[in-house]
Amino acid sequence: MEEEIDTRKINSSFLRDHSYATEADIISTVEFNSTGEFLATGDKGGRVVIFQREQENKNQPHRRGEYNVYSTFQSHEPEFDYLKSLEIEEKINKIRWLPQQNAAYFLLSTNDKTVKLWKVSERDKRPEGYNLKDEDGRIRDPCTITSLRVPVLRPMDLMVEATPRRVFSNAHTYHINSISVNSDYETYMSADDLRINLWNLEITNRSFNIVDIKPTNMEELTEVITAAEFHPHNCNTFVYSSSKGTIRLCDMRSSALCDNHSKLFEEPEDPSNRSFFSEIISSISDVKFNHSGRYIMTRDYLTVKVWDLNMENRPIETYQVHDYLRSKLCSLYENDCIFDKFESVWNGSDSVIMTGSYNNFFRMFDRNTKRDVTLEASRENSKPRAILKPRKVCVGGKRRKDEISVDSLDFSKKILHTAWHPSENIIAVAATNNLYIFQDKVN
């Protein structure tokens, strides 16, 4: 792991100028497609930007892996709920790619209330020789048409088009936090704070409620749903996490409404570590199956945990992401950072876990060697093909030259969203309004 990380370099970085960045430019989700050829990002302005990987060039082998902008489109617009007098943000909460079936690409994007299915396709030919239209597109007088022409396709400059094929709306009372495509590729689920709905990708006016944890009396509400995901291979199985730090595994074969879970994963709390912040920091912000579907990874405020589906009482692995913040929880509570929702990802072989932290740091944990490393995504080290150097945080005592004090960390710079290429060591890291793409060094 150490050797792998030490030879990691910046391949390319997509940067917006800080001086001109607005709240709308902040990246809110990052997602590779199943082949890794495309990388999609969503931002708070409702935009989706798709990057395409450069094809290999024998004359410039070092350019292999660089990602360039392929398409940009406005996915969601701000809306207003007149019944509840609430403004619905355009911010993209999640993007999920569908497996490619033909020449076009399909992806799901969602804001707080509405999920959209987008088709992204290429066009390099245009039809010419219409009978009822002239070359400028104006309708011709039928009386002037004396002969029939056969329209032909002429070459044109490549154009990428993004068109909304389906709009799935009016099914969520609360804010959508997760969407997950099923392994049958016919259905997907969307989860909000209290309910999970199952959709057919072809049907927009009807969904099935498969989880509902809303109590009859809202004053009795003790937890909310924070994330949900389908099993990668079993289309009947899914998991969802809660703000109480629990993970529930559900089987849709057992009943239509999966309020009664099949398995409950929960780690007993150590009474000696009990504090005012215990419940807040135990809230799970992300849950993901590994590629085989045998293990579940969860991220809470301070740790990443790996659970075996066959063992419910405790995780098999626990990784401390930034335990040095435990003494700073009071100030993090006051500035609301304690409520930040960090995501985590597996690498293609499930041997390494990556997740974000503050000060534009992100952490990697090698599950085999048990080594870990802290790296930084910043403009200072974003020169092409620059080697990333490990960073260390000093908690107390004498600080070494290459260390940074925990008191010097910038909590406004945070990495919440990351993605890992499905088969190669290429990672995408969203640092506020900047997207950094790193890859292993090519000798």
Side-chain angles (χ1 to χ4, degrees):
M1 176 70 180
E2 199 170 67
E3 183 181 352
E4 174 190 301
I5 296 300
D6 285 347
T7 57
R8 190 170 298 278
K9 68 164 184 111
I10 289 189
N11 184 309
S12 69
S13 57
F14 172 67
L15 300 172
R16 299 185 180 113
D17 194 324
H18 276 282
S19 58
Y20 295 99
T22 64
E23 180 81 7
D25 293 322
I26 295 175
I27 298 171
S28 53
T29 184
V30 185
E31 186 80 6
F32 279 103
N33 74 335
S34 59
T35 63
E37 182 188 358
F38 291 94
L39 172 67
T41 67
D43 62 26
K44 286 193 172 182
R47 296 180 296 258
V48 172
V49 181
I50 300 176
F51 299 87
Q52 183 180 31
R53 193 178 185 188
E54 283 277 329
Q55 297 302 311
E56 192 160 7
N57 188 333
K58 291 182 180 179
N59 299 326
Q60 295 177 301
H62 66 274
R63 286 184 65 84
R64 172 61 175 159
E66 289 195 5
Y67 284 80
N68 295 317
V69 176
Y70 175 72
S71 176
T72 303
F73 59 92
Q74 188 73 30
S75 173
H76 288 71
E77 301 279 359
E79 298 174 51
F80 193 80
D81 187 333
Y82 292 97
L83 291 175
K84 296 183 177 177
S85 295
L86 288 175
E87 188 175 349
I88 302 170
E89 282 186 317
E90 65 270 35
K91 173 191 164 193
I92 307 296
N93 291 339
K94 284 288 185 291
I95 291 174
R96 290 292 180 264
W97 290 88
L98 272 67
Q100 188 177 2
Q101 306 288 345
N102 50 39
Y105 303 92
F106 291 86
L107 60 84
L108 290 168
S109 63
T110 185
N111 66 350
D112 285 341
K113 299 290 183 181
T114 305
V115 183
K116 294 184 180 181
L117 174 65
W118 289 89
K119 177 185 178 182
V120 182
S121 56
E122 297 180 355
R123 192 148 62 92
D124 59 0
K125 292 182 176 65
R126 68 170 182 269
E128 288 183 2
Y130 287 109
N131 289 289
L132 299 177
K133 295 179 184 177
D134 60 22
E135 299 306 323
D136 295 326
R138 292 188 293 259
I139 302 296
R140 295 171 63 186
D141 184 354
C143 299
T144 63
I145 301 172
T146 57
S147 62
L148 292 176
R149 296 184 294 180
V150 178
V152 294
L153 292 174
R154 302 284 186 200
M156 60 176 278
D157 292 337
L158 180 68
M159 186 169 69
V160 180
E161 296 178 315
T163 52
R165 299 305 300 271
R166 307 273 188 278
V167 178
F168 307 89
S169 57
N170 302 322
H172 285 278
T173 306
Y174 307 97
H175 292 178
I176 298 172
N177 54 50
S178 302
I179 51 174
S180 179
V181 180
N182 203 346
S183 59
D184 60 12
Y185 305 138
E186 292 184 1
T187 57
Y188 78 92
M189 68 177 173
S190 55
D192 65 25
D193 295 336
L194 297 177
R195 297 187 180 100
I196 300 176
N197 293 333
L198 181 69
W199 300 82
N200 187 297
L201 285 163
E202 300 294 326
I203 302 170
T204 61
N205 60 355
R206 186 171 67 251
S207 65
F208 296 95
N209 181 227
I210 53 176
V211 172
D212 188 346
I213 65 168
K214 182 183 178 183
T216 307
N217 181 3
M218 284 295 281
E219 291 181 0
E220 298 172 3
L221 182 69
T222 58
E223 62 181 334
V224 295
I225 298 168
T226 55
E229 186 174 70
F230 268 119
H231 191 281
H233 308 297
N234 301 335
C235 62
N236 53 279
T237 307
F238 67 93
V239 294
Y240 69 92
S241 58
S242 85
S243 56
K244 274 194 167 181
T246 61
I247 309 105
R248 291 173 172 85
L249 180 77
C250 300
D251 190 336
M252 292 190 290
R253 295 172 301 184
S254 60
S255 63
L257 189 63
C258 300
D259 283 354
N260 295 319
H261 49 266
S262 302
K263 290 189 175 183
L264 175 68
F265 301 86
E266 184 176 17
E267 185 175 22
E269 186 183 9
D270 184 355
S272 62
N273 289 334
R274 178 75 185 171
S275 72
F276 172 78
F277 306 106
S278 295
E279 197 167 310
I280 301 173
I281 64 174
S282 66
S283 175
I284 294 173
S285 55
D286 194 21
V287 59
K288 283 190 173 74
F289 279 102
N290 75 328
H291 292 83
S292 70
R294 170 68 187 270
Y295 302 103
I296 304 170
M297 171 175 59
T298 61
R299 170 71 207 261
D300 57 38
Y301 190 67
L302 295 178
T303 65
V304 171
K305 295 172 182 174
V306 177
W307 302 76
D308 189 325
L309 285 187
N310 297 332
M311 189 167 75
E312 303 168 53
N313 59 340
R314 59 186 172 87
I316 57 170
E317 300 164 25
T318 300
Y319 301 99
Q320 300 294 335
V321 179
H322 37 216
D323 199 53
Y324 47 79
L325 295 182
R326 202 173 282 274
S327 61
K328 300 283 183 184
L329 292 178
C330 188
S331 57
L332 290 166
Y333 177 77
E334 290 173 354
N335 63 18
D336 283 347
C337 284
I338 200 170
F339 302 105
D340 286 334
K341 296 179 178 2
F342 292 93
E343 297 174 3
S344 52
V345 290
W346 305 89
N347 72 337
S349 62
D350 298 331
S351 60
V352 182
I353 290 169
M354 175 173 65
T355 191
S357 182
Y358 293 105
N359 209 69
N360 280 355
F361 288 170
F362 59 99
R363 303 269 283 141
M364 289 186 176
F365 304 95
D366 190 310
R367 299 178 62 212
N368 298 324
T369 64
K370 302 304 178 186
R371 292 176 180 170
D372 63 85
V373 68
T374 302
L375 300 171
E376 181 181 8
S378 67
R379 284 170 168 261
E380 287 70 33
N381 58 17
S382 65
K383 295 174 184 175
R385 288 168 291 285
I387 305 293
L388 279 187
K389 296 179 180 177
R391 301 299 306 269
K392 288 187 178 179
V393 177
C394 172
V395 180
K398 194 173 182 181
R399 182 172 65 87
R400 295 180 183 175
K401 182 181 178 182
D402 58 340
E403 292 181 339
I404 181 170
S405 169
V406 67
D407 297 317
S408 303
L409 295 176
D410 188 343
F411 295 110
S412 65
K413 295 179 179 179
K414 58 192 81 171
I415 292 177
L416 304 177
H417 314 286
T418 57
W420 201 307
H421 189 286
S423 57
E424 299 181 38
N425 278 333
I426 298 176
I427 59 173
V429 176
T432 318
N433 60 302
N434 299 324
L435 178 69
Y436 298 89
I437 300 175
F438 305 96
Q439 74 166 14
D440 270 354
K441 183 177 179 182
V442 180
N443 295 322

